[in-house]
Amino acid sequence: SIFDTNYYIMIIETKDITRSFKMGTQSVDALKGVSFGVNKGEFISIMGPSGSGKTTLMNIIGCLDTPTSGQYFLNDKPVGDMTENQLAKIRNQEIGFVFQSFHLLARNSALNNVLLPLKYAGTNKEKALELANNVLNKVGLQDRINHSPAELSGGQQQRVAIARAIAMQPKYLFCDEPNSGLDPKTALVIDELIQDITAENNITTVINTHDMNSVMEIGENIALLHRGELAWSGTKEEVLDSDNDILQDFIFASPFLKRLRDKAMETGTK
């Protein structure tokens, strides 16, 4: 809504960023001049097939990597001018990460996994325990706090990862295909959990996905990456009405969905 006080506050902005990697004697261009922005409190899904540059882009906006060229502004500050200590502080105190492979410490309980970023930040023990128990309760794991990752299902492990990501009460949450490997029902639960928590706490959220179900269920706006370029962007409502060929090819990559579309078009012409 244009009446939202957050509407005009762009806090994530990339300008013509590129990222190239050396592969032997070859140079591979993972990103090719990507420019986009995210407003404060916004929830945006970045979609695209494997190899489209989603993870590379997220690593850059998450201050885990730097672009080969172009500029990245976080909260109106040029990230390229920041020292490594400044970047480390931002990653620890302002950004929460959720990865597809959970990245939980196998020998630690759910509680101790969530406590890790709080300990690194120097939070006193009593406050850290209060925050960790609070976020584990938010993700519905209050009765699993002493369980190790091996004693938890995939969906429960991802809940622990989400709790760890929000324990520091971050300004930004970056999720890199958090539903990869989860069954559709569990994936939907994780999607809704991320959406509810970020909306409740006004956390600016960027989620990478190639799952159209996820894209249409959560968030507000969508960006499509294709071969390292921003191929399309818009709202969920604009997706199905768009005549962008790359977008349509991505949506109907499933033979089943393609048959449904073709049948609907055939019926509509009769």
Side-chain angles (χ1 to χ4, degrees), residues 54-235:
K54 300 189 304 294
T55 297
T56 301
L57 179 60
M58 181 157 287
N59 286 342
I60 289 174
I61 65 175
C63 301
L64 296 171
D65 193 15
T66 55
T68 303
S69 66
Q71 292 179 295
Y72 170 39
F73 296 89
L74 184 63
N75 203 17
D76 211 29
K77 298 174 183 175
V79 173
D81 294 343
M82 296 180 185
T83 66
E84 186 51 47
N85 285 340
Q86 289 173 320
L87 291 172
K89 185 177 180 180
I90 288 173
R91 287 193 296 265
N92 180 249
Q93 298 183 7
E94 297 187 20
I95 298 175
F97 294 98
V98 179
F99 302 99
Q100 57 181 310
S101 53
F102 315 140
H103 291 308
L104 301 178
L105 296 182
R107 297 184 181 182
N108 284 26
S109 66
L111 178 61
N112 284 331
N113 268 285
V114 175
L115 282 169
L116 277 176
L118 296 162
K119 289 179 178 178
Y120 290 146
T123 310
N124 73 66
K125 188 174 181 180
E126 184 178 338
K127 182 65 174 176
L129 281 169
E130 178 187 342
L131 288 170
N133 277 292
N134 180 44
V135 293
L136 283 166
N137 184 59
K138 278 188 176 182
V139 300
L141 289 179
Q142 59 272 22
D143 58 344
R144 295 285 190 275
I145 64 173
N146 294 315
H147 287 59
S148 70
E151 298 170 317
L152 300 172
S153 68
Q156 289 171 333
Q157 289 184 60
Q158 194 59 293
R159 286 170 182 257
V160 175
I162 293 168
R164 180 183 59 193
I166 64 171
M168 286 292 296
Q169 300 171 313
K171 296 178 181 177
Y172 319 97
L173 183 66
F174 298 138
C175 308
D176 191 14
E177 300 195 17
N179 291 334
S180 181
L182 301 179
D183 66 86
K185 186 176 180 179
T186 302
L188 179 59
V189 170
I190 294 298
D191 280 342
E192 292 174 343
L193 179 62
I194 292 172
Q195 185 174 43
D196 290 346
I197 287 175
T198 55
E200 178 186 344
N201 296 281
N202 199 34
I203 301 172
T204 303
T205 305
V206 180
I207 183 169
N208 275 354
T209 184
H210 56 256
D211 182 357
M212 278 304 301
N213 289 327
S214 178
V215 168
M216 299 308 290
E217 284 293 331
I218 60 175
E220 304 152 357
N221 296 320
I222 299 167
L224 172 65
L225 284 183
H226 179 72
R227 296 180 180 176
E229 298 179 315
L230 183 63
W232 183 88
S233 63
T235 66

Side-chain angles (χ1 to χ4, degrees), residues 5 20 30 44 46 104 154 168 171 179 217 250 258 260 262 268:
T5 55
S20 301
I44 183 170
I46 299 178
L104 301 178
M168 286 292 296
K171 296 178 181 177
N179 291 334
E217 284 293 331
F250 177 77
K258 188 175 185 299
L260 284 180
D262 292 345

Side-chain angles (χ1 to χ4, degrees), residues 7-26:
Y7 188 78
Y8 296 108
I9 307 174
M10 186 179 291
I11 58 174
I12 294 174
E13 183 179 15
T14 69
K15 294 184 177 181
D16 296 318
I17 61 171
T18 69
R19 185 65 173 99
S20 301
F21 296 95
K22 288 288 185 183
M23 304 287 285
T25 59
Q26 301 291 317

